[in-house]
């Protein structure tokens, strides 16, 4: 006889009730049938699982071992069955019960997760952080993520080589992060040409941003000093110390003592996009996720009223997908 989950349920029931008779009643079986089944289980496992006397049934050392495993396996199997049922039940609808979202960081992810948690409190939501668009695209392609929220250079989109769909959420001017008392902070925007002598700090990652920044500086008439790459905290530390000026998004909230200003004329832009695989279940919920991402962006950018006012002179910036920027796919 092969040991099955139903046999483990028998052992657990006897241990919890302390009696074969009570366990039989709980399981809806006749007491002789349960006794015979227990004997077959014991023969399969090689020894008695319970000591039985007038006081009831108490686990032997072998019984305790079996019980310790059963109390792990049975809840795990129940959880698997419940999750499978939820997924199967949602397979024919637009409502997912699990969301695996990868992101490079930035302002949109938190708002998306909050909104999902609010409208689907029972949904399983997990996030994965990365510095690299290529890594997240590979995970989408391999089915390890449902969505990826990433940022790319303003005139670019992530590679279509992975067979994914990418849709723009917002396009923003890249801003300069500086101390409050920096001379350039007195204006509503900064002339990149006037910052030719500055050292720069920015986040790490893949893509063409470094080349695009160098090109913007070249158009402004100078060659920039090499950008010092670091995580967000490292960049802030360098700006606070006066070592460098930072390159940031207008949705970034500077700590006390620092401020940000957009570059005049928006010579350098940053595009927020959401991606998914067109043949995955996530494709059915993509419209909902795009709406949440756009709402999250609008909520965060509204905390920078100076920038929002400034963008009125630049109608190609802000949330939404411009008419000439339809979603891209590898078709």
């Amino acid at each position: 006889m092969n040991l099955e989950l139903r046999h483990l349920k028998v052992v657990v029931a006897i241990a919890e009730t302390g009696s074969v008779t009570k366990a039989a009643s709980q399981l809806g079986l006749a007491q002789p049938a349960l006794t015979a089944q227990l004997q077959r289980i014991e023969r399969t496992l090689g020894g008695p699982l319970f000591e039985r006397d007038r006081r009831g049934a108490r686990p032997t050392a072998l019984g305790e071992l079996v019980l310790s495993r059963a109390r792990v396996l049975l809840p795990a199997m129940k959880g698997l069955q419940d999750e499978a049922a939820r997924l199967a039940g949602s397979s024919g609808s637009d409502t997912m019960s699990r969301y695996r979202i990868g992101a490079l960081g930035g302002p949109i992810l938190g708002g998306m997760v909050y909104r999902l948690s609010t409208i689907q409190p029972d949904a399983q939501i997990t996030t994965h952080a990365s510095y690299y668009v290529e890594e997240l695209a590979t995970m989408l392609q391999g089915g390890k993520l449902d969505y990826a929220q990433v940022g790319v250079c303003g005139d670019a989109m992530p590679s279509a080589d992975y067979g994914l769909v990418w849709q723009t959420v917002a396009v923003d001017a890249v801003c300069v992060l500086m101390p409050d008392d920096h001379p350039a902070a007195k204006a509503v925007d900064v002339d990149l040409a006037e910052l030719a002598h500055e050292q720069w700090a920015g986040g790490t990652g893949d893509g063409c941003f470094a080349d695009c920044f160098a090109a913007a500086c070249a158009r402004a008439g100078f060659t920039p000093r090499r950008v010092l790459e670091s995580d967000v905290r490292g960049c802030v530390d360098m700006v606070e110390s006066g070592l460098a000026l930072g390159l940031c998004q207008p949705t970034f909230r500077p700590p006390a003592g620092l401020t940000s200003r957009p570059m005049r004329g928006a010579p350098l832009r940053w595009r927020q996009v959401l991606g998914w695989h067109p043949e995955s279940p996530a494709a059915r919920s993509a419209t909902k996720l795009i709406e949440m991402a756009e709402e999250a962006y609008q909520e965060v950018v509204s905390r920078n009223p100076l920038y929002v006012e400034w963008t009125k002179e630049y109608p190609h910036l802000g949330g939404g997908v411009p008419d000439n920027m339809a979603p891209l796919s590898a078709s």
Side-chain angles (χ1 to χ4, degrees), residues 205-231:
D206 50 15
C208 61
F209 183 77
D211 293 336
C212 291
F213 175 63
C217 293
R219 293 193 296 270
F222 70 97
T223 300
R225 298 164 66 182
R226 185 174 182 272
V227 177
L228 302 172
E229 292 187 354
S230 181
D231 60 9

Side-chain angles (χ1 to χ4, degrees), residues 3 12 44 55 76 116 119 122 128-130 132 146 149 152 154 156 188 214 220-221 238-239 245 252 273 290 318 331:
L3 195 65
V12 171
T44 299
R55 292 177 296 176
L116 274 174
I119 67 171
D122 295 330
H128 176 83
S130 173
Y132 304 105
D146 299 305
Q149 197 283 299
V152 293
V188 295
M238 284 187 274
V239 176
L245 297 183
F252 176 72
V273 299
I290 285 289
S331 57

Side-chain angles (χ1 to χ4, degrees), residues 41-260:
I41 294 170
E42 290 177 329
R43 284 197 297 270
T44 299
L45 292 174
L49 301 182
F50 295 94
E51 294 178 354
R52 298 167 60 191
D53 55 29
R54 290 180 298 175
R55 292 177 296 176
R58 296 180 302 281
T60 62
L62 178 59
E64 292 287 2
L65 173 63
V66 174
L67 284 167
S68 68
R69 299 296 191 271
R71 285 166 176 156
V72 173
L73 290 172
L74 292 175
M77 183 56 67
K78 178 64 165 58
L80 174 60
Q81 291 171 334
D82 291 346
E83 184 173 354
R86 285 196 299 270
L87 290 175
S90 65
S91 61
S93 71
D94 290 338
T95 300
M96 297 170 59
S97 61
R98 179 184 66 175
Y99 298 86
R100 300 167 299 171
I101 306 173
L104 297 184
I108 294 177
L109 178 63
M112 290 175 61
V113 171
Y114 172 77
R115 285 164 172 78
L116 274 174
S117 300
T118 300
I119 67 171
Q120 288 185 247
D122 295 330
Q124 297 180 12
I125 304 172
T126 58
T127 59
H128 176 83
S130 173
Y131 285 121
Y132 304 105
V133 176
E134 297 288 329
E135 177 187 350
L136 296 178
T138 300
M139 295 179 71
L140 275 179
Q141 184 186 47
K144 295 180 180 179
L145 290 175
D146 299 305
Y147 302 96
Q149 197 283 299
V150 304
V152 293
C153 236
D155 295 327
M157 290 289 276
S159 172
D161 292 343
Y162 293 89
L164 307 174
V165 174
W166 298 99
Q167 183 161 323
T168 298
V169 175
V171 179
D172 276 319
V174 172
C175 295
V176 178
L177 183 67
M178 65 190 81
D180 288 338
D181 58 1
H182 192 283
K186 296 177 181 179
V188 295
D189 54 17
V190 297
D191 185 347
L192 186 57
E194 295 178 357
L195 303 176
H197 62 286
E198 297 282 0
Q199 174 70 66
W200 298 91
T204 188
D206 50 15
C208 61
F209 183 77
D211 293 336
C212 291
F213 175 63
C217 293
R219 293 193 296 270
F222 70 97
T223 300
R225 298 164 66 182
R226 185 174 182 272
V227 177
L228 302 172
E229 292 187 354
S230 181
D231 60 9
V232 174
R233 183 64 255 178
C235 291
V236 168
D237 287 343
M238 284 187 274
V239 176
E240 287 179 332
S241 69
L243 175 65
L245 297 183
L247 297 167
C248 71
Q249 302 172 41
T251 48
F252 176 72
R253 286 182 281 180
L258 300 184
T259 190
S260 68

